[in-house]
Amino acid sequence: MALDTARLATELDSIIADLPATVTFGSSTFSAAVTQGTVGSDIAEGGFMPSRDIGLHVKSTTTTRAVKVGSKLQVLSVGITKTYRVISIERSQDGQELIFSCQSPRR
């Protein structure tokens, strides 16, 4: 069964509309959906590892493809602006969505 990329794009647009954020990367700005992450540390082999603070679901565009692990993003959501550092990037199966896992740059 083939992927219905048009339907997936519409669903991503709906998610971004329901959980909106504006993300600034350098001089570029794009829309994202914010998902709640955890704050704190997770126990892992070798000690405690920082857990992610926030997840961002964004459309895969030329701008977002420039974002790399370690990039700093300024996120405006619910009237609060905060800076995060990207710790991992996932790409959806259809290639239309990127999921940035981010944490406070202080960690």
Side-chain angles (χ1 to χ4, degrees):
M1 184 168 148
L3 285 174
D4 186 349
T5 55
R7 191 190 80 191
L8 292 173
T10 301
E11 289 176 1
L12 180 56
D13 286 337
S14 295
I15 293 169
I16 290 172
D18 289 343
L19 304 167
T22 302
V23 180
T24 303
F25 172 63
S27 61
S28 302
T29 301
F30 53 92
S31 297
V34 177
T35 59
Q36 185 66 37
T38 56
V39 177
S41 297
D42 294 327
I43 187 77
E45 191 173 314
F48 287 96
M49 300 296 290
S51 59
R52 81 176 183 180
D53 287 338
I54 197 171
L56 298 171
H57 294 252
V58 300
K59 289 183 179 183
S60 178
T61 63
T62 303
T63 301
T64 59
R65 289 182 186 151
V67 175
K68 306 288 183 222
V69 170
S71 295
K72 289 188 179 177
L73 306 175
Q74 189 173 44
V75 180
L76 170 62
S77 178
V78 194
I80 298 171
T81 302
K82 187 170 179 186
T83 301
Y84 292 94
R85 183 171 40 86
V86 177
I87 59 172
S88 71
I89 301 172
E90 300 173 56
R91 182 179 299 278
S92 65
Q93 185 178 9
D94 67 352
Q96 300 302 308
E97 177 184 3
L98 296 174
I99 304 166
F100 300 141
S101 294
C102 305
Q103 68 180 189
S104 169
R106 294 182 304 274
R107 288 187 175 178

